[in-house]
Amino acid sequence: MRVLILNLRDVKNPNAGGAEIFTHEVAKRWSIAGNEVTLLTAGFEDAKKRENIDGVEVIRLGNTFSVYWLAKKYYKKHLEGKYGIVIDEYTYRPFITPEFVKEPIVFLVHELAREKYFYELPPPLSHICCYILEPKWLKNYVDVPTITVSNSTKQDLLEIGFKKIYIVPEGINFKPLDEIPEKEKEPTLLFIGLLKKANLADHAIEAFRFIKKELPTAKLWIVGRGAQFEKLKKAAKHLSVTFFGYVNEEKKLELMSKAHVILVPAVREGWGLVVTEANACGTPAIGYNVHGLRDSIRDKETGLLTENNPDALAEAIITFFKDEKLRQKLTENALEWSKSFSWDRTAKEFMKVIEGVINE
């Protein structure tokens, strides 16, 4: 089968996150299985216009803003009618494929943007996108078969009027540990993610400031790059915070294994892939009780959910470290739950949906 994917970013984009990892891990498995997969996406600084990544043909067009109309133009000129299925992936803005694509379409939605617009865009543009444009864009897809990764996002879509929604779980690309690894001697907290406003790394630092009063030997590791890097370093001055910047996969898993807990303050998530990855390294998560995280974190079973503020986050972390029985329970349960996730399963379930759509 020939599969065409339209997405804002590819896995090599500096701003790639969990959604792009999901798409790439699924697409490369389809390619290995004998399918021909093409991704139309935006370019970025020093990026090749075209390259093959793990069997997936990546075609980069324009930039973050122009890719939407350039992808339509490129499709109409070079690709129309040549694919068995077209996957339109939503990242802040869709490609509106129902207006121009001839093949069957699957809409892939990890999360709605909603309040994230207020962190990423200035007013009044943020208000226009949240209250006018996003609802208007999504109305184009209410009759299109749609895949999402969590029940939280499914409920959001149902409220808008979507009719055919399938949940396909996230995966991980490594084997979960067989047992809990040796942890750091001091209470060690970890934050991993793009350092942008919507990911609330500043909340982790603010919570840590309070934690240090109760747990003087505690330390915080922050992994990631982004526009907020220098601002966050300044905010963490005189605290036991280490900034690692961008790290490769091997280093990321090493830090995940050594930390006692991963912190996930967030505005909203589709799922929170970093939660499942940390769980597979024997590390539970403490995060805000928001869309996506209330799916990936089973409160008081595999981790803890808190009210959406640094004080509540700090209180939960202190409880976690002072209650050894609770900490052991969450750690063991998190590792065990992670063993039910794999990208092989994700790719197979996604393809089943595609085959069903084509055969309708």
Side-chain angles (χ1 to χ4, degrees):
M1 182 188 301
R2 301 191 75 200
V3 180
L4 176 63
I5 304 171
L6 289 80
N7 189 24
L8 175 62
R9 308 181 188 106
D10 66 85
V11 73
K12 287 191 175 182
N13 192 301
N15 291 315
E20 288 71 39
I21 293 172
F22 177 102
T23 304
H24 183 69
E25 293 295 336
V26 166
K28 77 177 185 182
R29 284 165 172 76
W30 291 343
S31 176
I32 292 170
N35 300 285
E36 184 179 327
V37 186
T38 302
L39 170 64
L40 291 187
T41 187
F44 51 91
E45 188 176 358
D46 297 326
K48 295 178 181 178
K49 295 293 184 183
R50 193 169 189 143
E51 70 175 305
N52 188 291
I53 308 175
D54 296 330
V56 179
E57 189 67 16
V58 178
I59 301 171
R60 299 188 179 100
L61 306 167
N63 56 40
T64 299
F65 303 101
S66 63
V67 65
Y68 295 96
W69 67 268
L70 287 175
K72 176 180 178 180
K73 182 179 178 181
Y74 190 92
Y75 166 84
K76 297 290 286 185
K77 184 176 182 180
H78 301 286
L79 308 179
E80 185 174 357
K82 296 181 179 180
Y83 289 84
I85 193 77
V86 174
I87 299 170
D88 184 343
E89 187 166 356
Y90 182 62
T91 307
Y92 289 108
R93 175 182 171 185
F95 287 83
I96 317 295
T97 51
E99 291 188 355
F100 64 90
V101 164
K102 302 300 182 185
E103 297 90 339
I105 300 168
V106 168
F107 192 37
L108 173 56
V109 184
H110 299 272
E111 61 177 321
L112 303 192
R114 291 194 171 169
E115 56 267 54
K116 278 193 170 183
Y117 287 124
F118 298 109
Y119 289 85
E120 300 300 329
L121 297 173
L125 184 57
S126 54
H127 293 73
I128 293 170
C129 286
C130 181
Y131 298 117
I132 299 174
L133 292 181
E134 185 174 51
K136 181 181 178 181
W137 287 329
L138 294 176
K139 285 293 184 183
N140 289 281
Y141 296 88
V142 293
D143 295 316
V144 175
T146 300
I147 286 177
T148 189
V149 296
S150 67
N151 190 58
S152 292
T153 304
K154 179 180 179 179
Q155 294 306 313
D156 281 342
L157 295 169
L158 286 171
E159 290 173 7
I160 295 171
F162 278 64
K163 299 177 178 64
K164 297 180 182 178
I165 307 171
Y166 307 87
I167 295 179
V168 173
E170 296 269 6
I172 50 176
N173 57 8
F174 61 95
K175 182 179 179 294
L177 299 180
D178 293 323
E179 57 185 23
I180 307 301
E182 184 177 349
K183 301 291 184 177
E184 291 286 292
K185 292 180 181 180
E186 304 85 4
T188 304
L189 295 67
L190 175 64
F191 176 94
I192 297 180
L194 284 172
L195 303 183
K196 60 180 184 178
K197 289 182 180 180
N199 284 349
L200 304 183
D202 58 320
H203 284 215
I205 293 172
E206 191 173 339
F208 186 64
R209 192 181 304 279
F210 180 76
I211 290 164
K212 286 289 286 182
K213 296 176 183 178
E214 296 286 327
L215 303 169
T217 62
K219 54 188 180 182
L220 172 63
W221 295 341
I222 295 182
V223 176
R225 59 190 172 191
Q228 296 287 301
F229 188 85
E230 292 301 328
K231 183 177 180 180
L232 292 169
K233 283 190 74 172
K234 186 176 180 180
K237 194 174 182 181
H238 305 308
L239 292 173
S240 305
V241 180
T242 302
F243 287 81
F244 288 86
Y246 172 81
V247 300
N248 60 28
E249 190 72 7
E250 182 181 359
K251 183 64 175 180
K252 182 182 79 171
L253 298 183
E254 176 192 331
L255 295 173
M256 282 181 166
S257 298
K258 289 182 176 180
H260 294 90
V261 64
I262 189 164
L263 308 186
V264 200
V267 177
R268 64 164 52 228
E269 294 285 346
W271 172 265
L273 181 57
V274 70
V275 170
T276 308
E277 290 178 334
N279 289 173
C281 293
T283 302
I286 298 179
Y288 286 170
N289 187 7
V290 297
H291 283 65
L293 294 183
R294 59 178 72 117
D295 299 272
S296 60
I297 300 173
R298 292 181 170 178
D299 190 30
K300 298 181 179 64
E301 292 183 33
T302 65
L304 298 174
L305 293 172
T306 79
E307 293 180 14
N308 308 340
N309 62 76
D311 288 347
L313 184 65
E315 185 178 341
I317 294 164
I318 291 168
T319 298
F320 172 83
F321 279 108
K322 289 191 173 183
D323 189 334
E324 187 175 347
K325 187 176 179 180
L326 172 66
R327 186 168 69 254
Q328 187 68 22
K329 170 191 168 184
L330 297 180
T331 302
E332 291 175 355
N333 288 351
L335 178 58
E336 188 60 32
W337 192 40
S338 73
K339 295 175 182 177
S340 64
F341 296 89
S342 80
W343 289 123
D344 290 341
R345 174 191 171 197
T346 305
K348 289 175 183 177
E349 292 196 19
F350 200 140
M351 184 54 73
K352 283 182 182 178
V353 175
I354 288 175
E355 291 169 347
V357 170
I358 291 173
N359 294 327
E360 281 184 349

